[in-house]
mmCIF file of all heavy atoms in Angstrom:
data_model
loop_
_atom_site.group_PDB
_atom_site.id
_atom_site.type_symbol
_atom_site.label_atom_id
_atom_site.label_comp_id
_atom_site.label_asym_id
_atom_site.label_seq_id
_atom_site.Cartn_x
_atom_site.Cartn_y
_atom_site.Cartn_z
ATOM 1 N N CYS A 1 10.402 -8.337 -9.489
ATOM 2 C CA CYS A 1 9.008 -8.827 -9.893
ATOM 3 C C CYS A 1 8.494 -8.180 -11.150
ATOM 4 O O CYS A 1 7.949 -8.776 -12.036
ATOM 5 C CB CYS A 1 8.075 -8.567 -8.743
ATOM 6 S SG CYS A 1 8.499 -9.546 -7.267
ATOM 7 N N TRP A 2 8.658 -6.813 -11.202
ATOM 8 C CA TRP A 2 8.160 -6.100 -12.400
ATOM 9 C C TRP A 2 8.919 -6.562 -13.625
ATOM 10 O O TRP A 2 8.390 -6.612 -14.762
ATOM 11 C CB TRP A 2 8.227 -4.621 -12.243
ATOM 12 C CG TRP A 2 7.186 -4.055 -11.283
ATOM 13 C CD1 TRP A 2 6.471 -4.785 -10.337
ATOM 14 C CD2 TRP A 2 6.822 -2.727 -11.159
ATOM 15 N NE1 TRP A 2 5.625 -3.914 -9.702
ATOM 16 C CE2 TRP A 2 5.817 -2.663 -10.130
ATOM 17 C CE3 TRP A 2 7.168 -1.554 -11.737
ATOM 18 C CZ2 TRP A 2 5.201 -1.477 -9.782
ATOM 19 C CZ3 TRP A 2 6.587 -0.322 -11.417
ATOM 20 C CH2 TRP A 2 5.626 -0.335 -10.434
ATOM 21 N N SER A 3 10.238 -6.819 -13.477
ATOM 22 C CA SER A 3 11.019 -7.296 -14.636
ATOM 23 C C SER A 3 10.537 -8.648 -15.127
ATOM 24 O O SER A 3 10.741 -9.046 -16.262
ATOM 25 C CB SER A 3 12.503 -7.338 -14.322
ATOM 26 O OG SER A 3 13.007 -6.006 -14.046
ATOM 27 N N ALA A 4 9.906 -9.406 -14.202
ATOM 28 C CA ALA A 4 9.368 -10.712 -14.528
ATOM 29 C C ALA A 4 7.923 -10.608 -15.005
ATOM 30 O O ALA A 4 7.266 -11.619 -15.236
ATOM 31 C CB ALA A 4 9.537 -11.657 -13.373
ATOM 32 N N GLY A 5 7.383 -9.381 -15.059
ATOM 33 C CA GLY A 5 5.999 -9.213 -15.535
ATOM 34 C C GLY A 5 4.983 -9.432 -14.532
ATOM 35 O O GLY A 5 3.814 -9.631 -14.804
ATOM 36 N N THR A 6 5.317 -9.345 -13.224
ATOM 37 C CA THR A 6 4.346 -9.577 -12.139
ATOM 38 C C THR A 6 4.275 -8.394 -11.224
ATOM 39 O O THR A 6 5.217 -7.634 -11.111
ATOM 40 C CB THR A 6 4.693 -10.803 -11.327
ATOM 41 O OG1 THR A 6 5.892 -10.618 -10.586
ATOM 42 C CG2 THR A 6 4.764 -12.046 -12.191
ATOM 43 N N ALA A 7 3.140 -8.234 -10.510
ATOM 44 C CA ALA A 7 2.974 -7.155 -9.515
ATOM 45 C C ALA A 7 1.839 -7.549 -8.647
ATOM 46 O O ALA A 7 1.017 -8.377 -8.947
ATOM 47 C CB ALA A 7 2.629 -5.853 -10.277
ATOM 48 N N THR A 8 1.889 -6.975 -7.429
ATOM 49 C CA THR A 8 0.777 -7.226 -6.444
ATOM 50 C C THR A 8 -0.129 -5.996 -6.491
ATOM 51 O O THR A 8 0.266 -4.845 -6.065
ATOM 52 C CB THR A 8 1.334 -7.404 -5.019
ATOM 53 O OG1 THR A 8 2.138 -8.570 -5.019
ATOM 54 C CG2 THR A 8 0.251 -7.580 -4.081
ATOM 55 N N PHE A 9 -1.306 -6.086 -6.975
ATOM 56 C CA PHE A 9 -2.204 -5.029 -7.200
ATOM 57 C C PHE A 9 -2.915 -4.681 -5.886
ATOM 58 O O PHE A 9 -3.431 -5.585 -5.164
ATOM 59 C CB PHE A 9 -3.261 -5.374 -8.269
ATOM 60 C CG PHE A 9 -2.664 -5.486 -9.662
ATOM 61 C CD1 PHE A 9 -2.264 -6.714 -10.101
ATOM 62 C CD2 PHE A 9 -2.492 -4.402 -10.429
ATOM 63 C CE1 PHE A 9 -1.643 -6.910 -11.326
ATOM 64 C CE2 PHE A 9 -1.915 -4.497 -11.682
ATOM 65 C CZ PHE A 9 -1.521 -5.729 -12.125
ATOM 66 N N MET A 10 -2.986 -3.393 -5.542
ATOM 67 C CA MET A 10 -3.631 -2.956 -4.326
ATOM 68 C C MET A 10 -4.877 -2.268 -4.633
ATOM 69 O O MET A 10 -4.928 -1.224 -5.416
ATOM 70 C CB MET A 10 -2.737 -2.020 -3.556
ATOM 71 C CG MET A 10 -3.214 -1.630 -2.214
ATOM 72 S SD MET A 10 -2.033 -0.725 -1.211
ATOM 73 C CE MET A 10 -1.957 0.836 -2.052
ATOM 74 N N ILE A 11 -6.018 -2.820 -4.164
ATOM 75 C CA ILE A 11 -7.357 -2.303 -4.522
ATOM 76 C C ILE A 11 -7.894 -1.339 -3.381
ATOM 77 O O ILE A 11 -7.289 -1.271 -2.350
ATOM 78 C CB ILE A 11 -8.377 -3.379 -4.799
ATOM 79 C CG1 ILE A 11 -8.650 -4.204 -3.541
ATOM 80 C CG2 ILE A 11 -7.860 -4.257 -5.956
ATOM 81 C CD1 ILE A 11 -9.770 -5.256 -3.730
ATOM 82 N N LEU A 12 -8.963 -0.706 -3.646
ATOM 83 C CA LEU A 12 -9.648 0.192 -2.729
ATOM 84 C C LEU A 12 -8.850 1.429 -2.422
ATOM 85 O O LEU A 12 -8.965 2.010 -1.321
ATOM 86 C CB LEU A 12 -10.019 -0.569 -1.439
ATOM 87 C CG LEU A 12 -11.145 -1.603 -1.598
ATOM 88 C CD1 LEU A 12 -11.207 -2.544 -0.432
ATOM 89 C CD2 LEU A 12 -12.494 -0.832 -1.674
ATOM 90 N N GLY A 13 -8.034 1.871 -3.346
ATOM 91 C CA GLY A 13 -7.332 3.126 -3.227
ATOM 92 C C GLY A 13 -5.973 2.999 -2.575
ATOM 93 O O GLY A 13 -5.464 1.862 -2.397
ATOM 94 N N ASP A 14 -5.354 4.122 -2.269
ATOM 95 C CA ASP A 14 -3.979 4.093 -1.688
ATOM 96 C C ASP A 14 -3.902 4.863 -0.396
ATOM 97 O O ASP A 14 -2.889 5.278 0.046
ATOM 98 C CB ASP A 14 -2.982 4.668 -2.680
ATOM 99 C CG ASP A 14 -3.251 6.119 -3.075
ATOM 100 O OD1 ASP A 14 -4.345 6.569 -2.718
ATOM 101 O OD2 ASP A 14 -2.394 6.736 -3.698
ATOM 102 N N LYS A 15 -5.135 5.028 0.289
ATOM 103 C CA LYS A 15 -5.190 5.722 1.540
ATOM 104 C C LYS A 15 -5.811 4.755 2.594
ATOM 105 O O LYS A 15 -6.879 4.232 2.320
ATOM 106 C CB LYS A 15 -5.956 6.980 1.461
ATOM 107 C CG LYS A 15 -5.415 7.986 0.484
ATOM 108 C CD LYS A 15 -6.324 9.260 0.363
ATOM 109 C CE LYS A 15 -5.786 10.249 -0.638
ATOM 110 N NZ LYS A 15 -5.973 9.721 -2.025
ATOM 111 N N CYS A 16 -5.172 4.563 3.636
ATOM 112 C CA CYS A 16 -5.571 3.571 4.646
ATOM 113 C C CYS A 16 -6.208 4.226 5.881
ATOM 114 O O CYS A 16 -5.811 5.303 6.304
ATOM 115 C CB CYS A 16 -4.413 2.731 5.098
ATOM 116 S SG CYS A 16 -4.764 1.271 6.023
ATOM 117 N N THR A 17 -7.177 3.510 6.448
ATOM 118 C CA THR A 17 -7.854 4.044 7.680
ATOM 119 C C THR A 17 -7.024 3.691 8.938
ATOM 120 O O THR A 17 -7.438 4.139 10.019
ATOM 121 C CB THR A 17 -9.313 3.553 7.818
ATOM 122 O OG1 THR A 17 -9.284 2.100 7.732
ATOM 123 C CG2 THR A 17 -10.162 4.075 6.694
ATOM 124 N N ARG A 18 -6.032 2.925 8.770
ATOM 125 C CA ARG A 18 -5.204 2.523 9.915
ATOM 126 C C ARG A 18 -3.791 3.201 9.778
ATOM 127 O O ARG A 18 -3.458 3.721 8.750
ATOM 128 C CB ARG A 18 -5.062 1.006 10.029
ATOM 129 C CG ARG A 18 -6.433 0.373 10.167
ATOM 130 C CD ARG A 18 -6.380 -1.081 10.483
ATOM 131 N NE ARG A 18 -7.733 -1.630 10.604
ATOM 132 C CZ ARG A 18 -8.011 -2.911 10.916
ATOM 133 N NH1 ARG A 18 -7.009 -3.749 11.205
ATOM 134 N NH2 ARG A 18 -9.253 -3.342 10.937
ATOM 135 N N ASN A 19 -3.083 3.187 10.835
ATOM 136 C CA ASN A 19 -1.769 3.923 10.894
ATOM 137 C C ASN A 19 -0.711 3.011 11.454
ATOM 138 O O ASN A 19 -0.098 3.287 12.495
ATOM 139 C CB ASN A 19 -1.954 5.171 11.698
ATOM 140 C CG ASN A 19 -0.696 6.081 11.597
ATOM 141 O OD1 ASN A 19 0.022 6.001 10.643
ATOM 142 N ND2 ASN A 19 -0.484 6.853 12.650
ATOM 143 N N CYS A 20 -0.461 1.853 10.827
ATOM 144 C CA CYS A 20 0.548 0.897 11.288
ATOM 145 C C CYS A 20 1.924 1.554 11.084
ATOM 146 O O CYS A 20 2.229 2.060 10.040
ATOM 147 C CB CYS A 20 0.387 -0.390 10.515
ATOM 148 S SG CYS A 20 -1.173 -1.227 10.792
ATOM 149 N N ARG A 21 2.717 1.416 12.110
ATOM 150 C CA ARG A 21 4.006 2.142 12.178
ATOM 151 C C ARG A 21 5.079 1.527 11.271
ATOM 152 O O ARG A 21 6.109 2.142 11.046
ATOM 153 C CB ARG A 21 4.521 2.295 13.584
ATOM 154 C CG ARG A 21 3.585 3.142 14.501
ATOM 155 C CD ARG A 21 4.241 3.496 15.743
ATOM 156 N NE ARG A 21 5.456 4.310 15.472
ATOM 157 C CZ ARG A 21 6.575 4.244 16.179
ATOM 158 N NH1 ARG A 21 6.682 3.375 17.200
ATOM 159 N NH2 ARG A 21 7.633 4.989 15.951
ATOM 160 N N PHE A 22 4.818 0.317 10.746
ATOM 161 C CA PHE A 22 5.817 -0.307 9.846
ATOM 162 C C PHE A 22 5.462 -0.026 8.369
ATOM 163 O O PHE A 22 6.282 -0.330 7.481
ATOM 164 C CB PHE A 22 5.837 -1.794 10.061
ATOM 165 C CG PHE A 22 4.556 -2.525 9.728
ATOM 166 C CD1 PHE A 22 4.292 -2.933 8.475
ATOM 167 C CD2 PHE A 22 3.565 -2.696 10.694
ATOM 168 C CE1 PHE A 22 3.122 -3.542 8.135
ATOM 169 C CE2 PHE A 22 2.354 -3.300 10.375
ATOM 170 C CZ PHE A 22 2.142 -3.736 9.107
ATOM 171 N N CYS A 23 4.313 0.547 8.052
ATOM 172 C CA CYS A 23 3.806 0.590 6.781
ATOM 173 C C CYS A 23 4.003 1.933 6.103
ATOM 174 O O CYS A 23 3.886 2.988 6.690
ATOM 175 C CB CYS A 23 2.324 0.272 6.750
ATOM 176 S SG CYS A 23 1.562 0.050 5.158
ATOM 177 N N TYR A 24 4.246 1.918 4.775
ATOM 178 C CA TYR A 24 4.479 3.133 3.972
ATOM 179 C C TYR A 24 3.199 3.716 3.385
ATOM 180 O O TYR A 24 3.187 4.899 2.943
ATOM 181 C CB TYR A 24 5.458 2.779 2.805
ATOM 182 C CG TYR A 24 6.159 4.037 2.185
ATOM 183 C CD1 TYR A 24 6.836 4.934 2.916
ATOM 184 C CD2 TYR A 24 6.010 4.123 0.772
ATOM 185 C CE1 TYR A 24 7.459 5.984 2.288
ATOM 186 C CE2 TYR A 24 6.682 5.229 0.195
ATOM 187 C CZ TYR A 24 7.348 6.156 0.962
ATOM 188 O OH TYR A 24 8.007 7.231 0.376
ATOM 189 N N VAL A 25 2.101 2.928 3.370
ATOM 190 C CA VAL A 25 0.851 3.424 2.855
ATOM 191 C C VAL A 25 0.366 4.551 3.686
ATOM 192 O O VAL A 25 0.306 4.494 4.904
ATOM 193 C CB VAL A 25 -0.207 2.287 2.773
ATOM 194 C CG1 VAL A 25 -1.528 2.843 2.242
ATOM 195 C CG2 VAL A 25 0.317 1.186 1.899
ATOM 196 N N GLU A 26 -0.125 5.630 3.040
ATOM 197 C CA GLU A 26 -0.605 6.807 3.779
ATOM 198 C C GLU A 26 -1.805 6.581 4.615
ATOM 199 O O GLU A 26 -2.747 5.874 4.229
ATOM 200 C CB GLU A 26 -0.906 7.990 2.824
ATOM 201 C CG GLU A 26 0.345 8.553 2.168
ATOM 202 C CD GLU A 26 -0.009 9.759 1.343
ATOM 203 O OE1 GLU A 26 -0.686 9.557 0.351
ATOM 204 O OE2 GLU A 26 0.430 10.884 1.686
ATOM 205 N N SER A 27 -1.816 7.133 5.824
ATOM 206 C CA SER A 27 -3.031 7.054 6.653
ATOM 207 C C SER A 27 -3.786 8.351 6.524
ATOM 208 O O SER A 27 -3.507 9.335 7.159
ATOM 209 C CB SER A 27 -2.635 6.775 8.114
ATOM 210 O OG SER A 27 -3.750 6.801 8.959
ATOM 211 N N LEU A 28 -4.806 8.298 5.609
ATOM 212 C CA LEU A 28 -5.604 9.465 5.327
ATOM 213 C C LEU A 28 -7.062 9.101 5.137
ATOM 214 O O LEU A 28 -7.307 7.900 5.012
ATOM 215 C CB LEU A 28 -5.100 10.208 4.097
ATOM 216 C CG LEU A 28 -3.691 10.804 4.113
ATOM 217 C CD1 LEU A 28 -3.250 11.170 2.700
ATOM 218 C CD2 LEU A 28 -3.655 11.961 5.070
#
C-alpha cells in the first residue's frame, strides 16, 4: 500500500481505551 502511495490514517492518537486481544494498538 505504501509503495502505491496509500495509507490508512489513524486519528485520535495511538493509545486505545480498549484491550482487544487480537489488536496491536497499545491499551493505555
Side-chain angles (χ1 to χ4, degrees):
C1 294
W2 286 19
S3 295
T6 66
T8 297
F9 293 92
M10 187 169 72
I11 65 172
L12 288 163
D14 62 348
K15 301 178 182 69
C16 189
T17 53
R18 301 188 183 183
N19 188 27
C20 296
R21 296 195 61 218
F22 64 87
C23 186
Y24 196 55
V25 178
E26 289 186 294
S27 178
L28 296 169

